[in-house]
Amino acid sequence: MAPSVPVFRSAIAAFIEERLAAKLAKLDADDPKCAALREQYQYLTWLDDAARRVRQIQLVTHTLKPIHPDARGSNLYAPPSTLADYPELGSHALAGMHADDVVGNAAALDVYKLLKLQIDGRSLLDWLRDGHPDAVAALSDDADDAHTLAEAFVGIAQPRAGGPASHTYAKQVFWLVGDDPLDDGQYHLLSPLYPSSLAHALFAVLNEHRYGEANKLAREALRARRDHDQPFYSYPSLAVQKLGGSKPQNISQLNSERGGNNYLLSSLPPIWKSHKVRPPTGASVFDLFGRHDDVRRLVHGLRHFLESSAPDRADGDAPGPKNNRHTRDIRDRYYADLIDELVLFGEELQEQLPANWSAHADCVLHEAEQLWLDPYRCETDPKFCASWMAMDWPAEVGQRFANWLNKQLAQHLPLGEVEMRHWRKELLVDERLDGWARHLHRQRREQDAPAYIPTRAATREAT
């Protein structure tokens, strides 16, 4: 059931009384201005003045002032329901949840606050827009005056007289709409406006993610490395654009509600940050390799897959997934990704550490791993170079890698010599582009080493 005339009138009267009380609170009781204020804030007097001042403000969704504070061109009221639907994010995505903005004389914003009064779940402006008879009648006992007032208030969303106009300070962009960029006639001249409603929605979402209690709990769980049932939101390199300086209300009403703050998401490409590479200190680098996040994720995924049981496994079947092509394909994908990580890991040490680092007296790294990770030591160390050229070290590295992987997986799986030989063979014959074997081929050519390196045939003989 819609509200009645007394309900609308009571809400409007309370709004006017509240504003009068705020004015009187700043004056002494015997101040002669008090009587003038009481006269000014009479119900009909105040509404008549509000209907006059409402022409000084305009309801908008896209504003010009944020482009340049002195621009005098047109603003635009285009609620999402009037916009075309595009796959890209835009104001059209705010259907059912957009906030209207208001621009114009900041001294007349109290009129907009009146029109935003919530009465039975809807704003007074919405009731008036629908032409609800009780809402209109509540404005004045005289029917003609009531309709005149209602028409004036509803006009807040109408475009200003004179039609759309740009301004010297507004941005303008020539946009090619045809196929020939040399033809001036195939361009449209666009004047972009600031999507105030969209910016306000973005501000609300990011503020909730930055300061809301739910994201705070998710952040604490992330730092403590605990599971959490809610996602954690983070916006790196977030910028805040201040609009309006100390008077954000001069830009727009929504800008004033945000204190002039407008969030800008970073659109820069990520910057690669290389961590400082130090010479390995242990007898093997595979423990260091296993601490890399991507490696841990892959080993965990492979172990979890090998530990999983086939849904249709019958009693008496061996534990784990069924031994079929599907299982082997998944296993091999995990292993190929691990080899990729190993190649990247080796290249990082080879390229970023100075040649001869393995010759330091404190280096206790296994000789095969020294030969793998410090190839340029060959240029100054003849004995080391002879060992490198002998090409026995790739097989030894493959053996050590297979031992390490078996150790990572064997905690809950019955793995043994067969699996270890399989890991070693797959590494040594990995002839994919940028695979382990291809990488060895390139190094051999650089060092002018003998042609022999472990090949698929040689490895088959070895296993």
Side-chain angles (χ1 to χ4, degrees):
M1 182 176 178
S4 60
V5 172
V7 173
F8 282 109
R9 187 162 292 182
S10 175
I12 297 172
F15 174 82
I16 297 174
E17 286 294 329
E18 182 181 350
R19 301 195 67 79
L20 172 61
K23 293 282 186 180
L24 294 177
K26 300 176 183 177
L27 303 174
D28 295 332
D30 56 352
D31 193 314
K33 294 181 180 177
C34 292
L37 281 174
R38 290 191 178 90
E39 183 65 27
Q40 180 182 345
Y41 279 80
Q42 290 293 315
Y43 190 88
L44 290 178
T45 305
W46 194 89
L47 286 181
D48 282 339
D49 182 62
R52 177 185 61 80
R53 292 186 294 123
V54 75
R55 291 192 290 270
Q56 302 173 11
I57 55 178
Q58 182 188 2
L59 205 64
V60 297
T61 54
H62 297 73
T63 59
L64 182 59
K65 286 282 187 180
I67 305 297
H68 194 290
D70 293 330
R72 297 289 186 269
S74 298
N75 299 283
L76 182 65
Y77 183 65
S81 58
T82 66
L83 301 176
D85 191 19
Y86 293 104
E88 296 83 5
L89 178 62
S91 299
H92 60 278
L94 300 176
M97 58 180 183
H98 87 285
D100 290 331
D101 202 355
V102 176
V103 296
N105 186 359
L109 288 177
D110 57 331
V111 182
Y112 179 60
K113 292 178 181 177
L114 167 71
L115 298 176
K116 284 179 64 180
L117 270 180
Q118 293 295 307
I119 303 173
D120 200 24
R122 301 184 69 197
S123 71
L124 176 60
L125 179 60
D126 288 338
W127 288 112
L128 293 175
R129 277 174 166 171
D130 291 346
H132 190 274
D134 286 0
V136 176
L139 299 178
S140 175
D141 291 334
D142 184 279
D144 292 338
D145 289 347
H147 279 94
T148 301
L149 290 172
E151 187 176 345
F153 290 137
V154 170
I156 190 174
Q158 299 302 316
R160 292 300 174 251
S166 188
H167 189 263
T168 303
Y169 293 141
K171 292 185 183 300
Q172 297 183 349
V173 179
F174 283 104
W175 189 267
L176 180 65
V177 294
D179 298 325
D180 185 4
L182 300 179
D183 183 0
D184 292 347
Q186 296 191 17
Y187 285 89
H188 281 179
L189 181 59
L190 305 181
S191 181
L193 299 175
Y194 188 75
S196 185
S197 295
L198 180 62
H200 195 71
L202 176 69
F203 183 87
V205 171
L206 265 63
N207 247 23
E208 176 60 26
H209 289 166
R210 295 185 73 192
Y211 307 113
E213 186 65 21
N215 209 44
K216 176 184 175 184
L217 295 176
R219 184 186 298 110
E220 291 174 353
L222 176 65
R223 290 174 177 170
R225 294 183 178 275
R226 297 194 311 267
D227 290 338
H228 193 70
D229 56 358
Q230 296 294 325
F232 168 65
Y233 298 94
S234 176
Y235 301 91
S237 303
L238 186 68
V240 179
Q241 182 184 25
K242 295 283 288 187
L243 297 176
S246 61
K247 297 181 178 178
Q249 68 275 13
N250 287 346
I251 299 298
S252 74
Q253 171 64 21
L254 293 183
N255 187 67
S256 178
E257 293 178 11
R258 298 191 298 271
N261 296 309
N262 295 264
Y263 287 135
L264 299 177
L265 297 172
S266 174
S267 58
L268 296 173
I271 299 175
W272 181 265
K273 295 180 179 178
S274 298
H275 61 275
K276 186 176 182 180
V277 177
R278 298 176 178 174
T281 57
S284 176
V285 294
F286 288 109
D287 288 340
L288 174 64
F289 171 68
R291 290 198 287 270
H292 285 210
D293 289 343
D294 288 339
V295 176
R296 287 196 303 182
R297 175 181 57 78
L298 289 169
V299 170
H300 175 80
L302 178 58
R303 183 169 57 227
H304 179 75
F305 171 70
L306 295 178
E307 290 174 353
S308 64
S309 296
D312 56 347
R313 184 173 68 89
D315 293 340
D317 287 352
K322 286 194 171 182
N323 185 11
N324 54 29
R325 181 176 180 179
H326 176 68
T327 295
R328 289 191 293 274
D329 287 346
I330 295 178
R331 179 201 62 189
D332 290 346
R333 282 201 295 271
Y334 273 113
Y335 193 64
D337 289 344
L338 270 175
I339 293 176
D340 289 343
E341 292 295 329
L342 184 67
V343 172
L344 290 173
F345 174 78
E347 286 184 339
E348 184 178 51
L349 294 177
Q350 292 165 357
E351 295 173 1
Q352 297 195 32
L353 291 177
N356 270 353
W357 61 266
S358 62
H360 195 279
D362 293 339
C363 181
V364 294
L365 192 65
H366 188 276
E367 182 183 7
E369 296 184 25
Q370 291 184 29
L371 292 164
W372 167 37
L373 299 171
D374 191 13
Y376 301 110
R377 183 178 166 185
C378 290
E379 298 175 359
T380 57
D381 187 337
K383 183 179 178 182
F384 185 89
C385 186
S387 298
W388 199 95
M389 295 290 187
M391 281 291 160
D392 293 329
W393 58 269
E396 180 65 23
V397 170
Q399 180 69 43
R400 295 174 68 80
F401 175 67
N403 286 340
W404 169 83
L405 182 57
N406 242 20
K407 182 179 176 182
Q408 306 306 309
L409 301 175
Q411 296 175 3
H412 305 286
L413 295 169
L415 302 183
E417 183 68 20
V418 174
E419 289 78 15
M420 186 181 64
R421 287 202 303 268
H422 175 77
W423 306 135
R424 182 184 62 186
K425 184 182 74 173
E426 291 301 314
L427 172 69
L428 297 179
V429 301
D430 177 27
E431 295 177 349
R432 296 171 301 149
L433 184 65
D434 291 332
W436 169 268
R438 290 288 186 93
H439 184 70
L440 284 180
H441 282 300
R442 286 196 297 272
Q443 284 195 326
R444 180 185 58 80
R445 288 193 296 270
E446 291 174 2
Q447 301 287 3
D448 195 22
Y452 168 78
I453 62 171
T455 62
R456 188 178 296 275
T459 305
R460 190 178 301 115
E461 293 175 0
T463 57

